[in-house]
Structure formats: C-alpha cells, structure tokens
Amino acid sequence: MNYPNPTSVQNFSDSAYSASTADASNDWAIEAINVSHRFGVGRGQRIAFANVNLTVKKGEFISIVGPSGCGKSTLLNLIVGFQRPSTGQIIVDGKRVVGPGADRGMVFQKHCLFPWMSVRANIEFGPRMSGINQSERRKIADEILELVGLRDVAKNATYELSGGMQQRAAIERALANRPKVLLMDEPFSALDAFTRERLQDELISLWTRTNTSILFVTHSVDEAVYLGTRIVAMKAHPGEVILDVQVPRNNDQDRSRESYQKDLQLQSLKEQISISLRTTAFRTA
Amino acid sequence: MSPLLNAILGPAITFLRQLPPLAYFSLLIIWFGIDETPKLLLLIIAAFPPVVVATVSGLNGISSDYINAARTLGCRKLSLISSILIPASLPEIFTGIRLGIGVANTSVVASETVNGIPGIGGIIRDAQRYNQTDVVLLGLFVLGFSGLILEFILERVQKVVTPWKGVV
C-alpha cells in the first residue's frame, strides 16, 4: 500500500507553507494553517478541533470523512467564512478568508434554493450579484442548464422539482459563479440511494469538465473514496485529522462505478479508513 | 432586526394595538372633523400594527439557510434585503396585510355606528334609532358580503404573489 500508517497524522512541513505563501501564483486552492476552533466561552468552552493543517491543490477533489462531531462541517464553515477560526488562518487562492464570498461556492445538505425565484433565476443569482449583465447571465445559465439537463424545468418553481433535481440545481447555482473552490457539506445524504449514485456520477463528470477544486464533506467512507482524489479522515472529541491519503487510482479516465467496485486497492483503502475511524472512535468513546 | 429598533418599536406597536379604535376615533373626530380624513387616518392606524407584527415575525422567521446560501453566492447587505429578506418574509407580510385590512374595515364601520358618521355603519345606527330591523339586517349583510369579496380577492392575490407559501 502506498498510503501512510492510518494512525499517524500527516502534516506538511512549515517550510512548504512559507514557500507557497511567498509565491503568489502558487497552486494551492485552499490552505488551512494551524486552524483550531472552539465553541462557546468560559468553562462551557468546547474544542471543535485543534491544529488542523490542510492544503488543497487546484483541481483536487478532497473528501473529508468522519463521524458527527469531528468538526468536518465546522471546518467547511470556516473555509466558507461563516465563522472565523479561533486560531490559525485560512487562505483561499492566496487571499485570507474574512467572510463568505463568491470565490467559494457552497452546496448544503438541504438544497436551499430560493422558492421565490424560478430555477433559472436561482442559477443566475450568483452572476447577478457580481454585476454581470442580463444577456451574459442568460448565456451562463443556458450553458449550465444544458450541462445537467435542467433546461426543461428552467422556468419552473424550485419546489416543483424532485429532490435530486433540486440538489442538481443547487450545485449548478454554486457553479454559475465559477468559484475557485466548491465546498459541499453532505450534499447527497438526504437523497435516496439511486438518485445519490446518479448525482455522484454527475459530480465526477462535472468536476473533470470544470476542473474546480472540490472539498466534499461526507460521513460515508464509500462515497468519500468513490468521489475523491484524496481522503482526509477526521476523528471526534476533539476533532483531529487522523488520516490524509491520496486515492490510488490506476486509471484517472475510467471512473465508472463498476471498475471502482472491482478495484481491490480502492476497496482495501475503504476498509482501512473504516477500521481507523472505528478504532479511534473506540479509543475516545 | 436591530435590537434598538425592536426595543423602541415593539412597545409602541403593542401600545397602539391595545387601544380600541373607537377610543382614538373620538380624538380623530375632535381634531379632523367628521369628513373622510379621520376615517382615512383610522384605517391607517388600525391596519398598521398587524402589518408590522407580521412583518417582524416574518423577518425573524427567515431560515438562516437562505441567508447563508445568498452570502456564499456573493450577496451583500443591500441586495440581501431586496433579494432575500423581503421576498422571504412576503408570505407573512401578506398575511399581515390581510389581517390589517380586516381590522381597518371593521374599525371604521364600528366607529360609524357609534358616532353616526355617514356610511354603512351610520345607516345601521340611524336604522336602529327608528327600529328598522330590515335596514339593520341589510346593512350587516352588505358589510359581511363585501368583507367576503375583499378577502377572496386578497387570497387570490396572495396565491399569485407568494405561490410557495405552505409548499416550502
């Protein structure tokens, strides 16, 4: 196996950071440097996670997997800018994160489409906020609607769509802004198994075509390995990165579900991650 | 909703809501006479509190999901108000308007019956003086029926303006 011992935390050396921050045209999409986060104040204070270091290369698809309470969603909220880290800093595309912005698209567990707008208006919302004129907006939306087959429902109200369609539209709405990174917080966990598989496949194809960096939070190890090019596993109480491995894919072109299921290396990686998550859970429970 | 605005506006609205319209209508007549002006003012004052209460409750009830989603799409303060906060609370604002119109309507008629100002309320009061039961009944019927029509129209408008109400 060419991935490290699951119990060891793979940290990047400090010199790697200084080198990357000195070079403005670095190829890091996201850099989380020594990030810790605490909830509450005084004696009730609780540590979400401590000293997390995470760097995401441009074009990388990182799956963050772990049990609830491991801080994976909190980490995403810090990167998107809803919250500020207690210590450490988060840099996206060379700029320090101080709040939410159009350069970081987000897809939530719930689709969060605006019901007072049509599907098309939802997708055009991001471009409209960044001041793109109407004809240009229409073009962007048309392209995107074509991409995932939402064209026929463009004029519909969002609540007339099925759950899968709604989540598709939510992904498209985030992508319409052409974000540097796409952050996804368990986006498929509320869907039925069939729809989930379809959307997973569509996401892979979207990612290969747009080459956006994706940070995908999930509690399913299977989903994490199937989608990601790199897996970050976290344990809970307190949150900590226990594993950071590259997914050893023989053939990056062949991303079919069949070959994934037949790939013994991937299946054993899945097993390995599950075991390390389980053992750390036992240790801390 | 800013806490300061809430602290000032909250008690003022509650104070206004507790006053029976008939009570302050007397004051309006003293100040503005018995023509249309006091009626108009009464309509406004009576309709105001339900609309404000509904709007505030609508704003407070907006799911933070919508606001968060909008912020990640690059939405900032002013457009947040026009694109998210107002449309998201529109269903409740509309319910407030419906309530407000109802309250305003009955307030004016009630005031007429007491003060004998011309209008359907005034007719009912005059008819009562002469024991004309049929006229009183007709007046009541006209009031009820017009209320019914008004509510029907408003409901239709609400369905058109906020079709997602109760669905999302």
Side-chain angles (χ1 to χ4, degrees):
Chain A
M1 288 301 137
N2 56 352
Y3 46 85
N5 182 352
T7 48
S8 79
V9 179
Q10 188 186 340
N11 271 325
F12 291 87
S13 67
D14 283 335
S15 60
Y17 289 117
S18 46
S20 64
T21 41
D23 180 13
S25 61
N26 64 67
D27 53 11
W28 300 123
I30 304 171
E31 295 166 88
I33 304 162
N34 283 323
V35 174
S36 304
H37 196 68
R38 288 181 289 275
F39 289 116
V41 284
R43 293 179 70 189
Q45 205 172 53
R46 209 162 52 76
I47 295 173
F49 51 78
N51 292 319
V52 166
N53 284 296
L54 179 74
T55 49
V56 181
K57 277 202 210 94
K58 281 178 185 158
E60 231 179 347
F61 192 137
I62 296 197
S63 302
I64 302 182
V65 64
S68 39
C70 73
K72 55 192 194 305
S73 291
T74 309
L75 183 60
L76 219 58
N77 283 342
L78 295 180
I79 295 169
V80 83
F82 290 148
Q83 287 162 291
R84 299 284 291 275
S86 307
T87 57
Q89 54 177 323
I90 290 164
I91 295 162
V92 172
D93 203 46
K95 286 190 288 280
R96 191 175 175 165
V97 170
V98 287
D103 57 332
R104 282 148 291 142
M106 176 94 176
V107 179
F108 304 83
Q109 188 175 353
K110 285 186 270 175
H111 59 81
C112 299
L113 295 167
F114 307 132
W116 52 91
M117 296 178 190
S118 68
V119 173
R120 173 184 283 281
N122 264 283
I123 290 172
E124 285 184 17
F125 184 77
R128 181 156 68 90
M129 288 303 116
S130 41
I132 291 168
N133 68 46
Q134 201 180 347
S135 61
E136 192 65 27
R137 279 200 320 254
R138 282 198 75 84
K139 239 175 69 191
I140 294 172
D142 280 337
E143 268 172 38
I144 280 173
L145 287 162
E146 200 68 69
L147 214 58
V148 284
L150 282 171
R151 213 191 162 88
D152 296 338
V153 294
K155 286 193 184 124
N156 283 54
T158 57
Y159 46 85
E160 293 169 334
L161 269 54
S162 65
M165 283 295 213
Q166 287 173 332
Q167 203 54 281
R168 275 189 190 97
I171 296 170
E172 293 321 313
R173 181 174 68 172
L175 283 178
N177 258 348
R178 308 220 163 103
K180 296 274 193 295
V181 289
L182 185 61
L183 307 160
M184 308 181 86
D185 192 359
E186 305 190 16
F188 304 147
S189 57
L191 303 173
D192 65 90
F194 295 108
T195 315
R196 186 182 311 138
E197 290 195 352
R198 279 200 60 183
L199 263 75
Q200 285 170 347
D201 291 340
E202 283 176 18
L203 182 64
I204 293 173
S205 112
L206 273 176
W207 169 72
T208 28
R209 273 179 289 174
T210 57
N211 209 33
T212 315
S213 317
I214 297 181
L215 206 58
F216 190 100
V217 162
T218 177
H219 53 241
S220 154
V221 176
D222 183 57
E223 186 173 55
V225 176
Y226 181 55
L227 294 174
T229 58
R230 199 175 124 204
I231 313 287
V232 172
M234 291 178 80
K235 74 162 189 69
H237 314 297
E240 208 175 279
V241 175
I242 54 164
L243 191 79
D244 187 336
V245 290
Q246 211 70 30
V247 179
R249 268 200 191 82
N250 297 323
N251 184 358
D252 279 338
Q253 305 306 312
D254 181 19
R255 291 293 302 267
S256 71
R257 199 169 289 273
E258 290 72 30
S259 54
Y260 160 72
Q261 277 156 354
K262 281 189 204 137
D263 192 324
L264 294 175
Q265 222 182 345
L266 295 184
Q267 295 306 317
S268 89
L269 169 65
K270 221 170 83 180
E271 193 69 14
Q272 193 87 18
I273 294 169
S274 300
I275 290 167
S276 53
L277 282 173
R278 222 173 294 143
T279 48
T280 49
F282 276 129
R283 252 206 335 258
T284 51
Chain B
M1 192 81 187
S2 87
L4 181 71
L5 203 64
N6 221 351
I8 299 168
L9 215 61
I13 291 296
T14 310
F15 181 87
L16 204 59
R17 269 206 304 163
Q18 299 314 310
L19 298 177
L22 289 179
Y24 53 78
F25 193 51
S26 315
L27 193 64
L28 293 176
I29 288 173
I30 295 170
W31 282 347
F32 301 102
I34 53 165
D35 59 354
E36 295 294 307
T37 318
K39 280 199 211 174
L40 270 174
L41 284 170
L42 179 69
L43 280 171
I44 293 166
I45 298 169
F48 192 58
V51 177
V52 172
V53 170
T55 305
V56 170
S57 125
L59 285 171
N60 287 333
I62 296 177
S63 158
S64 59
D65 292 344
Y66 290 142
I67 297 169
N68 283 343
R71 287 169 73 206
T72 64
L73 292 164
C75 187
R76 303 223 170 253
K77 277 191 170 168
L78 270 179
S79 41
L80 196 67
I81 294 171
S82 62
S83 302
I84 308 296
L85 299 185
I86 291 175
S89 45
L90 214 52
E92 294 225 34
I93 292 176
F94 223 97
T95 304
I97 291 174
R98 269 171 67 184
L99 282 172
I101 288 177
V103 171
N105 197 21
T106 48
S107 303
V108 169
V109 176
S111 313
E112 286 173 358
T113 58
V114 173
N115 293 289
I117 289 170
I120 294 172
I123 292 171
I124 291 175
R125 185 182 108 133
D126 291 342
Q128 175 217 330
R129 289 227 171 120
Y130 302 108
N131 250 351
Q132 293 170 312
T133 316
D134 50 347
V135 176
V136 174
L137 282 174
L138 180 69
L140 289 176
F141 182 77
V142 167
L143 286 174
F145 199 69
S146 59
L148 216 56
I149 293 171
L150 200 62
E151 185 65 13
F152 177 77
I153 295 169
L154 284 170
E155 234 176 282
R156 279 301 166 92
V157 175
Q158 184 166 24
K159 280 222 175 82
V160 172
V161 177
T162 62
W164 67 90
K165 186 179 186 282
V167 187
V168 177

